[in-house]
Amino acid sequence: MGRANRVVLAYSGGVDTSVCISYLKHEWGVKEVITLAADLGQGDELEPIREKALKSGADKSLVADLKADFIKDYAFPAIQANALYENRYPLSTALARPLIAKALVDAAEEYDADAVAHGCTGKGNDQVRFDVSIAALNPKLKVLAPAREWGMSREETIAYGEKFGIESPVKKSSPYSIDRNALGRSIEAGPLEDPWNEPLEEIYAMTRAIADTPDEPEYLEISFEQGIPVSLNGDTLEPLALVETLNEIVGRHGYGRIDMVENRLVGIKSREIYEAPALMALILAHRELESLTLTADVTHYKRGIEETYSQLVYNGLWYSPLKLALDAFVEQTQSRVSGVTRLKLFKGQATVVGRKSDHTLYTPDLATYGSDDLFDHKAAEGFIYVWGLPTRVWAEKVR
Ligand code: ARG
């Protein structure tokens, strides 16, 4: 008896996931392997990947175009939550995992598979995100993770694959481990493993080096409706097109790079480089619009929600009950977050230089220092007396 009968495997076209096909069949006695390659806007040609799965022994090879859903249902809610893990990482890789998990589960149900599989190792966050998301969507499905158990080195994996006709990588493989999708790129390993090493310029693909950015600043107006980005410089765009256009504009000015040492869920610190130009600009612009349209108490309370939300997404709990409850909170706060933020892009920086909204709570009559000031200055005295009373009482006791 094998570990499963029919398996849907998340497939990237790389050596490791190709080897997973043979491994599942020959070591774990799986009868049928259906591969699923997800298009998340990573820019790969999917048809060669689909064919490669068949050449590597898959019984059926599927391709799922998830790009539009990725932006609309995963990125946009995260932008409404201003989600930044450890205050910096906009979760560009993490957000894709629950969606891939959903596609795997959908395919498993459609083809009546009893398990799904992925090629994650046992050291990263992605295995957690897959396993927990799959369990949340269909707790009856088994999850198989061959690379977590096989204990093969890179060379051994390649040699194992060759036995089953899986070609070893033609070009000398890069020392980096890279994950990419429409939201950004995550780069780790190789010389980056030393946190003291400055990243070489060669690792970047979506953002220009400062030396190559335009010598003139560029202004950009991003409009939101209920916390959702809808247009750039007045042109209404579909979610995916908006993100792609924005990656281009913002990346050209070199904004959106992050170099950090982060805390993985599995207890390891890792050094990671990110580039996520559109996502970083959208969070910046969105948060700015909230400063105009949310009350002080909602703004402040939401900061705590945002931090928890970011941790949940990072830690694989996208479909958890707490995450769903926080979604409802965030959603409720966004009903009046509509308007425009104006950014100035220049030499690696994105600076907010303007914001406006029909729902603005900014009241010139109250804010002004001019003669048309409507704020009742005398009222401040009584307010401050009451506000400071506990501190006054305390001070009188301790002096
Ligand atoms: N550390 C990030 C995360 O957990 C990105 C991991 C991406 N993988 C990579 N090979 N760079 O979301």
Side-chain angles (χ1 to χ4, degrees), residues 89 93-94 125 129 177-179 186-188 262 272 274 314:
Y89 165 39
T93 290
N125 297 308
R129 298 170 185 149
S177 163
I178 300 171
D179 179 71
S186 306
I187 309 114
E188 60 185 17
E262 73 193 32
E272 192 98 38
Y274 299 103
Y314 187 86

Side-chain angles (χ1 to χ4, degrees), residues 71 75-76 78-93 95 181-186 204 206-207 220 222 224 229 232 242-260 262 272-289 310 341-345 348-352:
I71 305 303
F76 283 1
I79 290 164
Q80 291 183 311
N82 300 318
L84 293 171
Y85 179 66
E86 295 184 336
N87 256 316
R88 287 194 282 174
Y89 165 39
L91 298 162
S92 37
T93 290
L95 287 164
N181 60 46
L183 293 180
R185 292 173 76 250
S186 306
Y204 297 104
M206 298 174 81
T207 53
L220 177 67
I222 307 180
F224 291 82
L232 299 179
L242 186 140
V243 166
E244 286 173 343
T245 309
L246 199 53
N247 273 329
E248 182 61 39
I249 299 172
V250 176
R252 184 159 73 220
H253 290 275
Y255 177 73
R257 293 182 176 185
I258 299 127
D259 176 346
M260 68 189 280
E262 73 193 32
E272 192 98 38
I273 307 295
Y274 299 103
E275 45 180 356
L279 191 52
M280 291 300 286
L282 287 170
I283 293 172
L284 176 70
H286 172 261
R287 174 173 279 183
E288 191 63 27
L289 204 53
S310 308
T341 299
R342 188 160 187 254
L343 298 180
K344 180 178 179 175
L345 302 163
Q349 306 237 41
T351 314
V352 175

Side-chain angles (χ1 to χ4, degrees), residues 78-295:
I79 290 164
Q80 291 183 311
N82 300 318
L84 293 171
Y85 179 66
E86 295 184 336
N87 256 316
R88 287 194 282 174
Y89 165 39
L91 298 162
S92 37
T93 290
L95 287 164
R97 302 314 183 215
L99 174 57
I100 298 171
K102 183 172 174 296
L104 291 172
V105 170
D106 288 347
E109 289 170 355
E110 182 177 345
Y111 292 96
D112 203 22
D114 52 337
V116 296
H118 59 72
C120 298
T121 68
K123 267 175 86 165
N125 297 308
D126 285 335
Q127 51 165 348
V128 183
R129 298 170 185 149
F130 281 127
D131 290 16
V132 177
S133 298
I134 291 158
L137 294 168
N138 185 340
K140 290 204 182 68
L141 282 171
K142 279 181 260 184
V143 184
L144 305 182
R148 199 154 57 190
E149 292 182 40
W150 67 33
M152 293 191 280
S153 67
R154 178 90 189 149
E155 294 69 36
E156 288 163 345
T157 309
I158 292 171
Y160 182 92
E162 278 172 347
K163 286 201 298 188
F164 296 98
I166 294 162
E167 296 159 29
S168 53
V170 264
K171 50 180 194 305
K172 197 185 162 313
S173 61
S174 121
Y176 303 106
S177 163
I178 300 171
D179 179 71
R180 142 138 234 191
N181 60 46
L183 293 180
R185 292 173 76 250
S186 306
I187 309 114
E188 60 185 17
L192 298 172
E193 281 179 3
D194 183 344
W196 185 249
N197 282 345
E198 181 177 353
L200 298 175
E201 202 47 51
E202 65 183 26
I203 69 166
Y204 297 104
M206 298 174 81
T207 53
R208 284 196 204 171
I210 304 288
D212 302 329
T213 58
D215 290 322
E216 293 296 321
E218 181 169 351
Y219 290 88
L220 177 67
E221 292 186 4
I222 307 180
S223 306
F224 291 82
E225 264 164 38
Q226 307 202 329
I228 298 291
V230 291
S231 74
L232 299 179
N233 291 328
D235 294 334
T236 302
L237 292 167
E238 289 301 312
L240 178 63
L242 186 140
V243 166
E244 286 173 343
T245 309
L246 199 53
N247 273 329
E248 182 61 39
I249 299 172
V250 176
R252 184 159 73 220
H253 290 275
Y255 177 73
R257 293 182 176 185
I258 299 127
D259 176 346
M260 68 189 280
V261 174
E262 73 193 32
N263 292 291
R264 286 192 197 164
L265 179 60
V266 293
I268 302 168
K269 283 192 188 292
S270 69
R271 201 283 186 89
E272 192 98 38
I273 307 295
Y274 299 103
E275 45 180 356
L279 191 52
M280 291 300 286
L282 287 170
I283 293 172
L284 176 70
H286 172 261
R287 174 173 279 183
E288 191 63 27
L289 204 53
E290 287 189 331
S291 73
L292 216 52
T293 54
L294 299 185
T295 57

